[in-house]
Amino acid sequence: MNDSSKLTLYKTIINRVEEITPDVFVLSFSRTEEFSPGQMLAVALQPKDQARLYSIASGNKENDYRILFNIQHQGYLTPRLSKVNVGDELYVSKPFGSFYGTLMADCWIAAGTGIAPFISMMESGLGEQKKLIHGGRAENSFYYAELFESKLKENYIRCSSLQTGEHYYHGRITAFLKQSNELSTKRNYYICGSSEFVVDVRDILIEKGVPYTQIIAEIYF
Amino acid sequence: MEKENLFGKTLSELQEIVYELGFQKYVAKQLTDWMYKKRVASFDLMLNLSKSLRLSLQEKYELHFTNYSNVQESVDGTKKYLFPVKKYQFIEAAYIPENERATLCVSSQVGCKMGCLFCMTGKQGFQGNLSSGEILNQIFSLPEFEKLTNVVYMGMGEPFDNLDEVLKSIEILTSDYGLAWSPKRITVSTIGILPGMKKYLENTKAHLAVSMHNPFENERKMMMPIENVYHLPKILDEIRQHDFSGQRRVSFEYILFKGVNDQQRHINELARILNGIKCRINLIRFHPIPETPLESSSHETILQFQNALKRKGIVTTIRASRGEDIFAACGLLSTKEMVKKQNEEY
């Protein structure tokens, strides 16, 4: 485990900036540390800035770290991050956290950019036997859909209140979970998203008989 | 345009404000005397300020306290105050008198992002951070203000997720220009936001309380998602870097859940991980919240747990259950009020 207690930031260089959908960006930058899929980084534009935490969204064999973020227009960091260029400096901590992926038949549940740790797990070879339930507004909210579609097939469930079609459940994740009769009480459930999302999903799973000890949550704060 | 409330500004912030208005910085000290020592909420009454300064302040700023909108009183004298913050948003402050002490438990956020399994506040989600003024308003607007001996930041929200405003409020409570309280009258409780805790310990002399609830990382993270981010051993490592041998205290809050964290192995592990830290463990009986899979340990189990820890040399207390008839759980009153107001609107 890396030492996260001091959140010391190290200089790195931005190698790629991509707006994958309006207001949603993928930032790639050089990495020097090993990490476990599911871990996160503290990220800042200046060494003395207050760093924000982002899940790593890249495989653990890749040369670069990737993070996925959407612009919080009232926020400090993301509007600035969206304007960086290749070659600019970025300050990041060592990877830390213990939202680790496993080789078990886990169920992953994410809302929006909460998909990031599961991208890392998938690209690190932890996608076998997994089921992914992802919630988003429209078709372009299902980031890295091709990756999940090709690997998980019918175990990739997209919930959208705007999008309709054979690949989508029309409605929110919470509605999908409430309706579902196939929630195994034997699986582990990994949830990633806002606190409201995590609390709502966790309550539904517990109501459906899933022991709370099988629910592991990562909350964006 | 909405005017900014000056209440809750630190002396240095006020110095900048009056300077920008074209006045000498020293008048900021006169402002703090009126606001924090005399608790005056009108520029017109600040008679030692020049009229031109009062007019300039009035033009750009306002000064007001917000009264509570509801209060519930327990048979044991505990009172739970509800303060409106913004539309549909409410925070709670609990006044707890006990012999010579009178403690106020204040909120630092509207709602909470931390999502702890056993917490009612987490179920209402996160609506926003409180400003320093909104935190202090719970103290200054309290009818029992003059009786207060202690303030604990243990109400709604995670204080170190709103660190800057919490630190500003503590500065005003403890500075000579503010209430000039001893920092020993203040305790801030955290679930373990490590960078914030470090900065708090370095920048104040107030007490620290850590919500532990389980000494095993793998078990703790099932109840408290923060454990996936900042691990308990790192929290304890940081605490070991600070001096708690004098008047400053660190305590660990431990809610006892039946069959979850109340066994001998938990006692053994607590003794092991707290070795070398001068601290107290505060055992708390769980007040069930809606849809929770958790139950409180029995009174007998809590007593046995306390005695076992004491035998291991750890100062262990059981928090007296106060205001049970009105409490149920922190966050319940504000959640009900929020839902009620939303229903009235629609």
Side-chain angles (χ1 to χ4, degrees):
Chain A
M1 178 53 55
N2 297 289
D3 183 359
S4 65
S5 65
K6 303 294 188 286
L7 285 185
T8 305
L9 302 180
Y10 302 89
K11 188 169 77 177
T12 186
I13 300 296
I14 294 167
N15 294 329
R16 187 176 162 90
V17 186
E18 187 184 1
E19 186 172 15
I20 58 172
T21 191
D23 280 359
V24 179
F25 288 76
V26 171
L27 208 63
S28 304
F29 41 93
S30 308
R31 96 172 162 100
T32 53
E33 301 287 332
E34 296 294 315
F35 71 93
S36 296
Q39 286 194 300
M40 66 188 78
L41 298 168
V43 175
L45 279 169
Q46 298 296 329
K48 290 192 174 170
D49 281 357
Q50 188 177 350
R52 305 294 299 177
L53 307 184
Y54 293 91
S55 291
I56 300 168
S58 47
N60 60 0
K61 301 288 187 289
E62 293 173 43
N63 291 328
D64 279 3
Y65 290 124
R66 270 200 318 264
I67 59 168
L68 174 68
F69 67 91
N70 54 359
I71 301 179
Q72 304 293 323
H73 291 284
Q74 305 302 318
Y76 173 81
L77 183 60
T78 54
R80 290 168 172 79
L81 268 186
S82 68
K83 293 186 172 62
V84 297
N85 296 304
V86 171
D88 286 353
E89 291 176 358
L90 191 68
Y91 292 84
V92 300
S93 69
K94 291 181 177 180
F96 66 100
S98 58
F99 189 68
Y100 300 133
T102 76
L103 290 166
M104 312 278 282
D106 301 325
C107 179
W108 298 336
I109 305 176
T113 55
I115 195 71
F118 304 125
I119 297 169
S120 177
M121 292 177 195
M122 182 60 88
E123 293 198 331
S124 302
L126 299 178
E128 294 295 315
Q129 307 181 76
K130 297 298 189 293
K131 181 173 186 167
L132 168 64
I133 306 170
H134 188 196
R137 285 178 62 79
E139 188 176 15
N140 62 4
S141 309
F142 295 95
Y143 320 121
Y144 290 76
E146 285 177 14
L147 168 73
F148 292 114
E149 220 167 24
S150 66
K151 296 274 173 59
L152 299 180
K153 314 276 190 233
E154 69 278 7
N155 284 321
Y156 175 38
I157 297 156
R158 279 164 277 190
C159 300
S160 170
S161 32
L162 291 182
Q163 199 70 36
T164 53
E166 60 172 323
H167 295 301
Y168 298 92
Y169 168 82
H170 184 59
R172 292 171 180 272
I173 286 184
T174 46
F176 173 80
L177 291 171
K178 280 179 184 168
Q179 282 178 12
S180 179
N181 294 317
E182 297 167 7
L183 291 179
S184 166
T185 54
K186 303 275 192 295
R187 283 176 183 262
N188 284 330
Y189 290 81
Y190 284 71
I191 315 170
C192 186
S194 68
S195 59
E196 291 89 338
F197 174 74
V198 167
V199 168
D200 285 349
V201 168
R202 188 175 61 195
D203 280 353
I204 293 167
L205 292 176
I206 289 170
E207 198 182 310
K208 291 267 183 180
V210 178
Y212 78 89
T213 50
Q214 288 167 217
I215 303 169
I216 299 104
E218 177 99 307
I219 291 178
Y220 282 180
F221 68 93
Chain B
M1 201 177 92
E2 201 175 311
K3 292 179 183 176
E4 194 179 354
N5 191 359
L6 276 193
F7 181 68
K9 301 281 183 201
T10 62
L11 178 60
S12 59
E13 288 176 321
L14 291 169
Q15 284 171 338
E16 290 307 312
I17 286 169
V18 294
Y19 187 71
E20 277 176 21
L21 292 175
F23 298 87
Q24 296 292 320
K25 284 186 176 181
Y26 75 87
V27 296
K29 180 69 170 46
Q30 293 170 307
L31 254 178
T32 60
D33 282 347
W34 285 109
M35 287 161 56
Y36 302 131
K37 293 198 186 299
K38 300 188 178 86
R39 292 196 289 147
V40 163
S42 164
F43 296 123
D44 291 334
L45 298 175
M46 300 179 177
L47 297 176
N48 64 347
L49 301 187
S50 67
K51 193 169 182 185
S52 56
L53 172 58
R54 282 185 271 150
L55 286 173
S56 296
L57 286 170
Q58 248 154 6
E59 211 169 279
K60 290 188 78 174
Y61 299 94
E62 61 179 4
L63 186 58
H64 67 85
F65 302 123
T66 304
N67 285 329
Y68 63 88
S69 59
N70 193 1
V71 59
Q72 292 181 331
E73 184 166 5
S74 164
V75 289
D76 66 14
T78 301
K79 290 181 183 173
K80 195 169 204 178
Y81 290 96
L82 193 71
F83 288 96
V85 184
K86 296 184 181 74
K87 196 179 183 187
Y88 307 139
Q89 294 183 0
F90 297 89
I91 52 168
E92 298 172 20
Y95 172 71
I96 308 161
E98 187 181 24
N99 301 324
E100 300 303 308
R101 288 168 67 98
T103 303
L104 185 70
C105 177
V106 296
S107 298
S108 55
Q109 294 180 313
V110 192
C112 184
K113 297 178 201 163
M114 301 298 132
C116 296
L117 184 64
F118 46 82
C119 178
M120 188 63 206
T121 301
K123 284 187 183 288
Q124 69 168 251
F126 175 73
Q127 281 99 50
N129 283 322
L130 294 184
S131 67
S132 167
E134 288 166 331
I135 294 170
L136 290 170
N137 181 71
Q138 297 164 73
I139 300 168
F140 280 67
S141 294
L142 193 77
E144 296 85 359
F145 172 81
E146 299 292 349
K147 296 179 187 168
L148 280 181
T149 60
N150 296 75
V151 165
V152 293
Y153 289 68
M154 291 187 186
M156 297 167 68
E158 162 54 47
F160 295 158
D161 188 38
N162 184 22
L163 181 69
D164 292 342
E165 297 304 309
V166 165
L167 288 179
K168 277 164 56 177
S169 68
I170 292 172
E171 178 183 322
I172 292 165
L173 287 175
T174 58
S175 293
D176 285 342
Y177 73 78
L179 294 187
W181 278 20
S182 161
K184 307 301 179 288
R185 294 169 66 179
I186 299 165
T187 302
V188 177
S189 177
T190 179
I191 63 168
I193 306 279
L194 197 48
M197 188 183 86
K198 181 177 162 60
K199 195 169 172 187
Y200 167 78
L201 289 173
E202 287 171 352
N203 289 282
T204 77
K205 292 178 179 169
H207 301 310
L208 175 73
V210 177
S211 296
M212 183 190 285
H213 310 312
N214 204 309
F216 294 106
E217 288 173 74
N218 281 343
E219 295 178 19
R220 189 173 188 255
K221 73 181 185 184
M222 290 164 188
M223 295 195 293
M224 304 172 71
I226 194 67
E227 182 63 37
N228 282 312
V229 184
Y230 299 118
H231 304 308
L232 191 55
K234 300 291 181 195
I235 303 290
L236 300 178
D237 284 349
E238 183 60 39
I239 287 171
R240 285 191 171 86
Q241 307 298 314
H242 299 269
D243 182 12
F244 291 98
S245 63
Q247 285 192 310
R248 190 178 210 184
R249 292 197 305 261
V250 58
S251 59
F252 294 93
E253 310 294 307
Y254 199 97
I255 304 175
L256 278 154
F257 301 104
K258 184 180 175 183
V260 173
N261 63 353
D262 60 358
Q263 291 141 30
Q264 184 61 45
R265 62 191 181 86
H266 296 102
I267 294 165
N268 295 343
E269 186 66 1
L270 279 169
R272 190 185 73 77
I273 64 174
L274 296 179
N275 186 31
I277 300 176
K278 189 188 172 208
C279 65
R280 180 180 59 169
I281 294 181
N282 202 8
L283 301 178
I284 303 166
R285 193 159 69 82
F286 177 53
H287 298 278
I289 59 170
E291 295 162 7
T292 180
L294 302 166
E295 292 176 57
S296 178
S297 302
S298 68
H299 183 62
E300 190 181 31
T301 302
I302 296 173
L303 281 176
Q304 286 169 355
F305 203 88
Q306 179 192 28
N307 289 331
L309 285 170
K310 280 181 171 176
R311 283 195 295 274
K312 289 187 178 292
I314 301 174
V315 177
T316 309
T317 52
I318 299 174
R319 182 185 292 173
S321 287
R322 300 292 309 271
E324 279 192 73
D325 51 329
I326 57 165
F327 262 41
C330 180
L332 202 59
L333 183 60
S334 57
T335 305
K336 276 183 182 169
E337 194 69 13
M338 182 174 72
V339 171
K340 193 175 97 184
K341 292 287 179 196
Q342 284 171 342
N343 288 343
E344 282 171 5
E345 183 88 358
Y346 299 107

